[in-house]
Amino acid sequence: MTYTLTAACSHQEDIKKSRFAAHAAPVASVDEALRFFAAHNDPEATHNCWAYRIGQEYRFNDDGEPGGTAGRPILQAIEGQDMDRVAVLVVRWFGGVKLGAGGLVRAYGGCAANCLRNGPRTEVVDLATIACHCGFAELPLLKSRLAQAGASIQQEDFTHDGVTLRFTVPRAAVAELERTAANITRGRAAWEVLG
């Protein structure tokens, strides 16, 4: 199972006199992740390191720490927690004691993992986008069945011969819902999986 956060969360810890603060949030796009980093970046801090994963898209930044010691461990913490659609920023204020490469990896990765572990989470549900056309008479019953299946109607277009609905629904419910639509419309429903 894959999870995402339901709200932003933070975690702070001190490691060998350096202070680390992790901030994590659910994000739906790269732009949203970058805005989150910009909003929580601390210009007074020594380093502002981050990573995000949104489906197959991911990126990380070491912000001046030795290569692979900050951003990648944060990304590995995201993956280790089975998280998706999240952005994590770990801010470090240097306390005078060098941690070494292994210490940095443990500090950044550990702080990010603790933040995600304690954050409010929910399972990511794979949604399908569907377009379905039906007659006016069948619309109320079809909308009722869509609601029961957890569908969210995005758009309704009324034409001379009926209504085209565009909606999202959990992918696991698509086949059964298609059969239901066919039964309600006696096989006349136009059904298309858009994505």
Side-chain angles (χ1 to χ4, degrees), residues 69-107:
T69 62
R72 184 174 294 282
I74 296 168
L75 179 62
Q76 288 169 335
I78 293 170
E79 293 169 343
Q81 295 286 321
D82 295 317
M83 300 292 272
D84 189 12
R85 302 179 197 163
V86 295
V88 181
L89 169 72
V90 180
V91 181
R92 178 188 184 196
W93 294 268
F94 182 61
V97 177
K98 293 190 176 195
L99 301 180
L104 289 172
V105 168
R106 285 188 296 279

Side-chain angles (χ1 to χ4, degrees), residues 23 32-42 50-52 87-89:
H23 305 285
E32 196 176 337
L34 296 177
R35 281 195 305 274
F36 174 76
F37 298 140
H40 292 83
N41 198 27
D42 185 342
W50 53 259
Y52 65 77
V88 181
L89 169 72

